Amino acid sequence: MTVETFRLPDVGEGVAEGELLRWLVEPGEEIEADQPLAEVETDKAVVDLPSPYAGRVTELHVAEGEMVPVGTGIVSVEVDDGETADDEASEGDAAAAATDDTGARRAFAAPSTRRLARELGVDVARVEGSGPGGRVTDADVRAAADDEAGEPTATGRPEPRSLDPDATVVLSAAGELETEGRTRRESARAVETASEAVERQRERDRTARDRTLAAPATRGLADELGVDLDTVPTDRERDGVPFVTAAMVREYAARVGEATDTAESADAAEGAATEGTAETTASAGVGEATDDETAAGSGTPEPGERIPYRGIRRSIGEQMERSKYTAPHATHTDEVDVTRLVETKAELEAHAEAEGVSLTYLPFVMRAVTRALREFPRVNASLDEAAEEIVCHDEYNLGIATATDAGLMVPVVEDVDGKGLLDLAAETATKVERARDRSIGREEMQGGTFTITNVGVIGGEYATPIVNYPEVAILALGRVAERPRVVDGEVVPRYTLPLSLSVDHRVVDGAVAARFTNRVMDLLRSPSRLLVD
């Protein structure tokens, strides 16, 4: 038996330090290879640290809340010398595939992925991982199996299309900063409602799952409700490991009779944020619903509390400063009569519901924005300062501001110009929900060419949003509501939508901003044109 010290790795983001948020193991506990040891927050994201060793935890070297430089020993594990050769990863960098003393490569993969590799007859050590930090995923193993069989195969993960790898944050119209995150979620999930089915699923999960991934907030909710995460039914995975969201935990607790008053109050407080993007009344906001606490990003602090300025929040602040002091901002505001849009949306809601889609005003706005961007390429651009060139993009990738418990994030919906209204509604709702439950990935937060944010969901009308550098424009949507307007000499109630467009004045002149906004307004006044390609 020997004692190995696991050191904080560079988790693949090039960071120098991280804050140890929470230990997931304790001294004396027996652990398996790839079992999560701790949750660590860097200036990029919150990540689980998997153990490269199987054995017994002997000592925790750092305390929760402590800032830890990369390479610092954080935990010691007593391992059996004869059982660690196949599973352990390099001590110095557990986020990368490692090599042993003879140069043989050891794979960084979850136990379930290793089992799949054995079933398919694939040497996992020879598979190039496409997951975070080089982790081998199930898709990588299947692709390797196809290659060995001589069959063509797609790569396990699409390459992200990003205009600037460093541009991962954006300021919302309310003055808050949007940040990034990652992965995919299906647009609909089948839910068993009968108690017998729940118990069957729980028993299956007990026997099939020995590890479950979840965000820190989700783990905290599970603790409050007395729910074992390994028993919560899920059809979602991250790198081959089952992944559970807060919504799943609440639903499961309620269905099996384990919910408490805490769950009910949490549902009441978070209902708007977690239940969705549906707009059922014209007076609601244009995009996803939220509440004040969720919009704040990380809960409400106590009076007199001192909050550490580090990790994701510090990264947000630095990017906000970069955007504000690099790009001179100008904001153009206007208001559009969307009475016909309100009527059109109401007519289409039943059809959308039959297709399993919750229809909001946002897809209409996205299509209108894309049409206008085609006519005003300078607004769909970035400034290459090194080359002294304005780059007008031929892609229309729209970032959608989303409030989460970790801050404001901006999932990107790509190729908006090639998608129909209901497709946009479904994809946007899916990415917004994945951003909220922290299962969305970095590449899905990059590559945006224009951003839409929404102050209407918390009652706002006009704003001065900060541009997502190196983009050159961001559109803030106010609240759709009935307001008195003069029509044919008479004051009548009309549904209107306030708009605020901020631009990088180095690239976009005020006149161009006004004409672009006028074109968006023209399309929203006559929404039938948005229903045809």
Side-chain angles (χ1 to χ4, degrees), residues 23 105 116 220 243 248 284 317 329 334 370 394 423 440 445 510:
W23 281 110
R105 182 179 180 278
L116 177 63
F243 180 78
M248 294 177 187
H329 284 57
D334 212 327
T370 302
D394 57 2
D423 290 334
I440 197 164
M445 313 290 283

Side-chain angles (χ1 to χ4, degrees), residues 337-340 481-487 492-496:
D337 187 328
V338 291
T339 302
R340 290 177 63 183
E482 275 191 308
R483 298 178 175 92
R485 293 296 178 266
V486 177
V487 178
V492 295
R494 303 289 290 182
Y495 288 107
T496 64

